[in-house]
Amino acid sequence: MTKQYIENHKQYFFEKGLTVINSVFSDDEIEKIVKSIRNADNSRENFRKSDDLFAVRQFLKEVPEVKDLIFNDTIKAIVREVFGEKYFAVKSIYFDKPETSNWYVAYHQDLTISVDKKLEIQGFGPWTTKNNQFAVQPPLPFLENICTIRIHLDDTDEYNGALKVIPGSHTQGIYRPDTIDWSKETEKFCDVQKGGIMLMKPLTLHGSNRTTDGRRRRVIHIEFSDMELPENLKWSERMN
């Protein structure tokens, strides 16, 4: 993967709020990642299992052996060249939409961050607390700074729940889905091959349709930032 190739993706990413890079992980690397997930102790409270979804919150903490598999030379280069030298991981989730799962996700922006405690700080709120984990909507500059990598463990297209996005919507601040002007905006499906990644800004409006062809979709979602939080507030999953 040449520096110019990454640079082209960087320009598109900051203009449109997303880009897809395929062939980042080999089939062998994906198999090792899948095996690590399969072997993890899924009785813990950060593992959520239902007929529709298997999800792991704080994924890099819960399945630490995947770290070396995920942060291969290509991913490190992409973080460094596209996001910036000082970016670190701040949130990680694994989710598996099994073959029987058939729910859709309405258009939304990712507006909260995961932090270690609840503090009254100007500009931070509203707060939510679930299983002793704290999430809060921070001031806009924090959201504009975050960059997300979504690693695809399966081929994904519009028929098995690939993300649909509104390119460029990340530049418009908090953008309520009910105010989308469809005469000006265009919807795009983000097909990603197994072993490929999607880079996304959390303020890019995104959603997904129901699965129509019975194929599963497994994705690792990791958010990065290079901003420290104010006062004594800390990212709950900060990891260099």
Side-chain angles (χ1 to χ4, degrees), residues 75-112:
I75 288 288
K76 286 178 182 172
I78 288 167
V79 170
R80 196 170 54 242
E81 304 289 339
V82 179
F83 303 165
E85 291 279 353
K86 296 179 178 172
Y87 269 70
F88 46 86
V90 296
K91 185 176 185 176
S92 59
I93 306 166
Y94 165 77
F95 57 89
D96 172 1
K97 256 188 172 178
E99 297 88 338
T100 53
S101 158
N102 200 19
W103 43 274
Y104 79 102
V105 179
Y107 268 112
H108 66 285
Q109 297 171 304
D110 293 339
L111 296 177
T112 62

Side-chain angles (χ1 to χ4, degrees), residues 131-144:
N131 296 338
N132 217 22
Q133 294 181 18
F134 304 94
V136 64
Q137 183 170 324
L140 192 59
F142 287 93
L143 296 172
E144 291 173 333

